[in-house]
Amino acid sequence: MRICVYGAASPTIDPEYIKQTEILGEEMAKRGHSLVFGGGANGLMGAAARGVKKGGGSILGVIPKFFENEAIEAIYDECDELLTPDTMRERKQLMEDNADAFIITPGGIGTYEEFFEILTLKQLCRHNKPIAIFNIMGYYDGLNEVMNQAMQKNFIRENCSSLFRITDNLDELLEYIETPVDDTLTVKQLKDG
Ligand code: AMP
């Protein structure tokens, strides 16, 4: 499968996040998967790419031209293929189009945005690809609570919890990603309960 991994650009995070994301990348490659990612060399993007490279997998990076032109972020230089769209929106579209599944590792604003967009699109049945959150060291416990509260108060329909999996267990994460999605839910069921 082509798995899109979203994750932090920041390099100044606890090294344990880096280590576990490198292991994720390596394990993905060993299980025959390739990587689609944001093309950054730092943070958890770089970690995922290094792991996949170590495991012998192939890598597609997608990073807007202005990142290089304006020296915003170091680009991972061992991508097998690098796409350089003009805008962040085009980047997200290319990442989505080129992936069969999505894994969200810990991250900041960019990662949250990517997660919510891909989840929104799934809720609206615009795609039906697995989405899994890798909850390294409980980073996403707070997000889980926010989502649960929104469900309890009926802002999010309860059956939307079936649209993604959150786990800190690497095997469970990859097994979920590799399992075809149940596509019996319609937009109406997801929106109306
Ligand atoms: P953040 O979680 O804010 O660190 O943003 C990381 C996510 O957003 C990645 O999955 C990228 O696709 C995108 N992104 C945001 N900032 C950068 C950056 N400086 N370099 C590369 N990608 C970035």
Side-chain angles (χ1 to χ4, degrees):
M1 291 174 93
R2 301 165 303 167
I3 301 178
C4 177
V5 176
Y6 299 124
S10 172
T12 57
I13 50 178
D14 188 320
E16 185 62 22
Y17 294 117
I18 307 261
K19 186 175 143 201
Q20 291 206 36
T21 303
E22 282 176 355
I23 293 170
L24 162 68
E26 190 175 353
E27 189 58 26
M28 277 170 46
K30 285 185 178 157
R31 291 165 85 130
H33 305 303
S34 64
L35 173 70
V36 177
F37 83 124
N42 293 321
L44 299 189
M45 280 186 285
R50 286 192 303 276
V52 169
K53 189 49 94 182
K54 192 172 169 197
S58 86
I59 300 173
L60 168 63
V62 187
I63 191 158
K65 292 187 187 81
F66 69 83
F67 274 77
E68 189 167 25
N69 296 344
E70 298 173 29
I72 292 176
E73 183 70 30
I75 299 175
Y76 181 72
D77 60 8
E78 291 191 69
C79 293
D80 296 276
E81 194 182 351
L82 188 69
L83 301 178
T84 55
D86 287 323
T87 68
M88 296 293 273
R89 280 168 197 266
E90 286 165 351
R91 172 207 241 177
K92 278 188 297 174
Q93 187 71 53
L94 282 169
M95 290 168 84
E96 184 200 325
D97 291 347
N98 281 284
D100 305 305
F102 304 91
I103 292 176
I104 297 89
T105 63
I109 295 168
T111 305
Y112 275 102
E113 193 223 10
E114 288 164 333
F115 166 61
F116 279 113
E117 177 168 300
I118 213 69
L119 183 62
T120 302
L121 291 170
K122 190 167 178 183
Q123 178 186 231
L124 295 170
C125 298
R126 298 305 95 189
H127 73 85
N128 195 19
K129 302 173 184 176
I131 301 172
I133 295 179
F134 192 19
N135 192 21
I136 301 171
M137 294 195 294
Y139 180 79
Y140 283 118
D141 287 352
L143 172 69
N144 205 19
E145 268 176 46
V146 166
M147 298 292 280
N148 285 338
Q149 178 186 249
M151 282 177 211
Q152 277 157 19
K153 296 184 188 292
N154 288 328
F155 287 94
I156 301 176
R157 295 300 174 199
E158 261 187 41
N159 54 20
C160 284
S161 62
S162 69
L163 298 178
F164 67 100
R165 171 71 57 88
I166 175 165
T167 177
D168 61 2
N169 182 292
L170 181 55
D171 271 335
E172 185 187 331
L173 181 94
L174 289 174
E175 269 162 36
Y176 178 78
I177 284 289
E178 290 161 350
T179 306
V181 173
D182 174 5
D183 59 1
T184 53
L185 292 175
T186 63
V187 178
K188 191 154 174 45
Q189 285 167 321
L190 289 166
K191 295 299 287 179
D192 296 344

